[in-house]
Amino acid sequence: MLIISLAVIVALVVAVSSISRKPVGLAIDHATASTKKIGGYSVGAPIPGTTLSYLQMLSATIGVGISPVYPDLQSEPSRRYLVRTIDGGRSWRVAGVFPKDFYPRATAFKTPEAGYVMSLSQGSLFTTNGGKTWSRVTTSKDPLSISIRGNVVWIDANSCQTAMNGPCSMHLDTYQFGRLAPTSISSIPSNQPHMSQVGPTSGYVIGGSGQTGGTYGKIFVTQNSGKSWRSVPNPCEKGSILGGSAPSLTELFIYCQNAPDKYGSAFLYSSFNAGKSWSGPFSTPGLGLISGASSNGTFLWQLDRDGILWVGDAGGHVWEPDPNVATGEGHVDLAITTYGTSSAWYPVLGVGVYRTLNGRWWRLFK
């Protein structure tokens, strides 16, 4: 994904709508979620926000998430649950149970009952009943990320000769929602980039390396689900992209490491015309490697080495620390999901779910 194993996951608005088509094409693997306790929790039972490792908001109040429940800090999760909130992340209940040996990482749900879940090494699953049963999804290669815009789902899939190392073959698998096999498979012109789907058929791949082993860190955009890609000028002086996000087709935020010999030295560039011109570089606090953006690019967020969340304005000119968000030293994974122009959620496993309604001040729910 991103350089030095830091992932940027920006989840934008997903409209809640009804589903009119049944899944077609493949056999179904059943992981029935009965009312009995499985791994300690029954379906419908409340579950602490401290157990969430990922969440996706479908509206300002309704969302789904992934809860791997650990008996203790040294062990593997005893069970992994699909969970749901109806009060904006204040509380969560178990909706379904994942197959025993499935390790979920991210979701692409359209309603609380229907959606896809991906695993890095075990493919993807689909459910129409909130996780009571699961259908196996065909992917061209091992999934790296998943996203949904409108009625279209993208899965960024890769196959490397050595796990997480090149040379890799990257694919964009495109699905019409509800289908278990891709409607199209396209090549991605970078190895292990960060992908941002900004519309049903449009999006960016940011970072990674070229297919021919060329410049390290490129930016490409597609407006036809990967059938063709156009190169976007890279603002980084040395070509090294540390991270980035694309809230829309026109808005881009790119972190650059212009001095590769100085670990953690990063600068932010912003563009509001699809990369035709860039503003910056702007200095960033802390690591400056991880960012999130609201659905209209109003706010930027990043973590420093001590796990403190910093809030920046749209251009990244001004940064302020938020004393209400402190995840602990060494916690540098940032998985923010947003809804609307200023509401956002940030789950930290073992800590709880942070939420902001104004983009700046966060509250913790456990």
Side-chain angles (χ1 to χ4, degrees):
M1 297 288 286
L2 293 185
I3 316 307
I4 54 178
S5 301
L6 296 181
V8 179
I9 306 174
V10 180
L12 305 180
V13 179
V14 178
V16 178
S17 58
S18 62
I19 297 172
S20 59
R21 181 167 53 213
K22 299 289 185 181
V24 296
L26 295 179
I28 295 177
D29 292 341
H30 291 287
T32 301
S34 65
T35 56
K36 68 180 181 179
K37 287 187 177 182
I38 303 177
Y41 289 90
S42 304
V43 172
I47 192 167
T50 55
T51 67
L52 265 71
S53 61
Y54 176 89
L55 66 85
Q56 174 194 349
M57 296 303 296
L58 307 177
S59 73
T61 57
I62 299 173
V64 297
I66 296 171
S67 287
V69 177
Y70 294 79
D72 56 68
L73 295 178
Q74 284 74 42
S75 64
E76 287 293 316
S78 59
R79 202 64 173 178
R80 298 159 188 86
Y81 301 94
L82 181 69
V83 298
R84 184 182 304 172
T85 183
I86 59 173
D87 57 10
R90 289 173 176 267
S91 63
W92 297 84
R93 289 185 179 273
V94 175
V97 184
F98 292 104
K100 186 175 182 181
D101 296 322
F102 187 78
Y103 298 81
R105 292 293 298 270
T107 66
F109 272 65
K110 190 172 181 180
T111 74
E113 290 76 29
Y116 297 81
V117 181
M118 61 143 283
S119 169
L120 289 179
S121 60
Q122 297 146 319
S124 298
L125 302 175
F126 178 74
T127 183
T128 59
N129 53 21
K132 294 180 176 61
T133 59
W134 297 95
S135 302
R136 187 69 59 178
V137 177
T138 297
T139 57
S140 63
K141 300 180 184 298
D142 293 332
L144 279 180
S145 65
I146 189 169
S147 60
I148 180 172
R149 299 291 179 269
N151 205 43
V152 178
V153 173
W154 279 8
I155 293 181
D156 170 18
N158 89 110
S159 177
C160 302
Q161 291 184 0
T162 305
M164 300 307 294
N165 293 303
C168 301
S169 174
M170 304 295 300
H171 285 171
L172 172 58
D173 296 353
T174 300
Y175 301 77
Q176 287 296 311
F177 191 84
R179 295 193 175 271
L180 305 180
T183 55
S184 67
I185 300 173
S186 308
S187 295
I188 296 175
S190 291
N191 285 345
Q192 301 179 10
H194 164 63
M195 178 173 289
S196 288
Q197 182 185 10
V198 298
T201 61
S202 58
Y204 289 87
V205 290
I206 301 170
S209 58
Q211 286 181 320
T212 59
T215 304
Y216 188 62
K218 292 186 177 182
I219 307 170
F220 295 92
V221 63
T222 182
Q223 292 183 269
N224 54 16
S225 291
K227 293 181 177 63
S228 62
W229 297 89
R230 176 176 57 83
S231 178
V232 176
N234 181 358
C236 302
E237 295 176 9
K238 304 297 183 182
S240 296
I241 298 176
L242 294 175
S245 61
S248 70
L249 191 60
T250 57
E251 296 165 303
L252 282 166
F253 301 95
I254 304 296
Y255 280 105
C256 302
Q257 187 173 16
N258 291 338
D261 58 323
K262 296 180 180 180
Y263 176 78
S265 176
F267 301 91
L268 176 69
Y269 288 84
S270 59
S271 174
F272 296 92
N273 57 11
K276 295 178 182 178
S277 62
W278 295 89
S279 298
F282 304 111
S283 297
T284 62
L287 286 174
L289 302 179
I290 316 170
S291 68
S294 67
S295 58
N296 66 352
T298 304
F299 301 99
L300 298 174
W301 301 289
Q302 73 174 50
L303 287 172
D304 65 16
R305 291 182 186 275
D306 297 321
I308 302 298
L309 185 74
W310 291 77
V311 181
D313 61 9
H317 307 88
V318 179
W319 295 88
E320 296 179 356
D322 188 334
N324 296 316
V325 181
T327 63
E329 185 176 357
H331 190 101
V332 292
D333 289 328
L334 186 62
I336 287 179
T337 185
T338 67
Y339 190 87
T341 59
S342 59
S343 296
W345 294 257
Y346 172 29
V348 181
L349 187 62
V351 177
V353 176
Y354 289 99
R355 185 187 72 176
T356 178
L357 298 179
N358 62 10
R360 291 194 173 278
W361 300 105
W362 298 70
R363 181 180 177 184
L364 178 63
F365 298 110
K366 295 185 177 182

